[in-house]
């Protein structure tokens, strides 16, 4: 019987986020994609997940917004979590500047409609060495467009309500892995500095580069880290 890992995607991503990672892990683990529940309230989101996950204790990996949700779930229901993996995700609250930028995106949608991501915009989100990977860029575009306007507004609005989970997280008595790219401009740098400068039991592993969508850009590297986490 394979051990299960529940996978929570990030903002405007779905099961396609894992398509390059799953083939590297499926012989050893059962990988279960869990869509982000359609709600702007993190308490409601994790309660939906609480009912969705049938096992008594689970290994949970969350990417970006999904990493925050996984962390929120772990600090709220620690008795339901065996191990936690935060992928390109920080436990901090959104700052005012981030919230203002996101509100501006709503204004643009109201004015111009929801048009998804241009090829150039999607290309700018990946590392330079991967910018000729057409399947990668198209996957990012397709996920964004297929999830659509309502999901975008719901997920982005939820980020306005982020609480700082740092202290609750560092006091959890379970194996926690934090894996990120050192130059990822989508991450909260203050939150990372706090993690790096405080004593705790979280295993922090970084990789050189700008990649946020690590599971699509560096699946081999990520699969090795997941195996290490599962063997803690």
């Amino acid at each position: 019987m394979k051990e299960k890992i529940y996978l929570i995607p990030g903002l405007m991503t779905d099961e396609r986020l894992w398509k390059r990672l799953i083939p590297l892990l499926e012989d050893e683990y059962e990988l279960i994609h869990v869509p982000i529940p359609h709600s702007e309230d993190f308490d409601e989101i994790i309660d939906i997940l609480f009912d969705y996950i049938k096992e008594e204790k689970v290994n949970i990996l969350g990417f970006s917004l999904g990493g925050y949700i996984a962390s929120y779930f772990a600090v709220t229901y620690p008795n339901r979590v065996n191990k936690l993996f935060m992928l390109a995700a920080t436990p901090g609250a959104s700052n005012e500047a981030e919230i203002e930028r996101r509100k501006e995106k709503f204004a643009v949608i109201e004015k111009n409609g929801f048009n998804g991501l241009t090829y150039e915009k999607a290309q700018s989100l990946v590392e330079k060495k991967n910018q000729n990977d057409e399947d990668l860029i198209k996957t990012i575009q397709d996920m964004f467009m297929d999830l659509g306007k309502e999901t975008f507004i719901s997920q982005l609005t939820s980020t306005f309500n982020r609480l700082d989970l740092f202290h609750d997280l560092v006091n959890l008595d379970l194996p926690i892995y934090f894996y990120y790219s050192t130059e990822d401009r989508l991450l909260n740098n203050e939150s990372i500095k706090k993690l790096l400068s405080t004593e705790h039991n979280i295993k922090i592993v970084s990789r050189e580069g700008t990649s946020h969508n690590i599971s699509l850009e560096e699946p081999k590297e990520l699969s090795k880290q997941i195996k290490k986490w599962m063997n803690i």
Side-chain angles (χ1 to χ4, degrees):
M1 189 107 160
K2 293 177 191 171
E3 205 166 347
K4 292 179 180 177
I5 304 174
Y6 282 81
L7 306 172
I8 305 176
L11 183 81
M12 299 306 277
T13 58
D14 59 22
E15 62 273 9
R16 286 168 281 190
L17 182 70
W18 320 113
K19 69 178 187 177
R20 297 180 176 184
L21 179 68
I22 287 173
L24 303 172
L25 293 170
E26 61 187 353
D27 287 346
E28 292 174 61
Y29 309 108
E30 184 181 345
L31 301 154
I32 301 165
H33 170 74
V34 183
I36 294 177
H38 197 78
S39 171
E40 295 164 12
D41 181 331
F42 286 116
D43 289 320
E44 185 178 16
I45 287 169
I46 62 163
D47 284 344
I48 292 167
L49 293 180
F50 185 93
D51 293 333
Y52 182 91
I53 295 168
K54 301 304 176 196
E55 284 77 21
E56 192 179 325
K57 275 198 155 188
V58 293
N59 306 306
I60 192 165
L61 181 153
F63 162 69
S64 197
L65 173 59
Y68 180 83
I69 291 167
S71 303
Y72 200 98
F73 185 86
V75 300
T76 310
Y77 301 118
N79 59 319
R80 295 289 310 275
V81 179
N82 185 36
K83 292 184 171 85
L84 171 66
F85 193 115
M86 299 164 63
L87 175 61
T90 56
S94 294
N95 62 44
E96 286 303 316
E98 285 175 312
I99 291 171
E100 284 310 310
R101 274 200 305 274
R102 288 165 189 169
K103 285 181 178 174
E104 284 167 17
K105 289 180 182 175
F106 291 159
V108 171
I109 289 173
E110 283 306 310
K111 187 180 175 189
N112 303 325
F114 181 81
N115 301 311
L117 296 175
T118 64
Y119 189 88
E120 290 71 26
K121 177 62 179 173
Q123 192 178 41
S124 75
L125 296 172
V126 305
E127 287 192 356
K128 279 189 178 161
K129 65 179 181 179
N130 296 321
Q131 287 183 348
N132 293 321
D133 185 338
E134 291 195 8
D135 175 75
L136 167 66
I137 292 155
K138 190 170 186 315
T139 299
I140 293 169
Q141 281 185 292
D142 288 348
M143 288 191 292
F144 199 97
M145 200 64 198
D146 293 347
L147 285 162
K149 178 182 173 182
E150 297 308 316
T151 298
F152 181 66
I153 289 172
S154 169
Q155 291 184 354
L156 204 63
T157 303
S158 75
T159 67
F160 300 166
N161 308 315
R162 284 174 63 132
L163 302 172
D164 191 338
L165 305 177
F166 179 81
H167 292 293
D168 290 328
L169 205 61
V170 298
N171 289 316
L172 283 182
D173 186 23
L174 55 92
I176 303 175
Y177 225 82
F178 172 48
Y179 186 52
Y180 72 106
S181 299
T182 53
E183 304 300 318
D184 182 351
R185 57 194 170 84
L186 297 178
L187 290 184
N188 181 325
N189 285 324
E190 290 306 311
S191 195
I192 290 172
K193 279 180 196 167
K194 203 168 168 185
L195 278 168
L196 292 172
S197 62
T198 311
E199 210 171 294
H200 50 66
N201 294 320
I202 297 172
K203 174 76 173 167
I204 299 176
V205 183
S206 63
R207 60 173 296 281
E208 293 297 319
T210 64
S211 175
H212 188 64
N213 293 287
I214 296 173
S215 60
L216 282 170
E217 293 197 67
E218 297 295 338
K220 283 185 182 170
E221 212 177 311
L222 175 58
S223 69
K224 288 175 188 170
Q225 298 300 334
I226 290 171
K227 287 176 186 179
K228 286 179 184 175
W229 165 66
M230 288 298 285
N231 288 323
I232 293 174

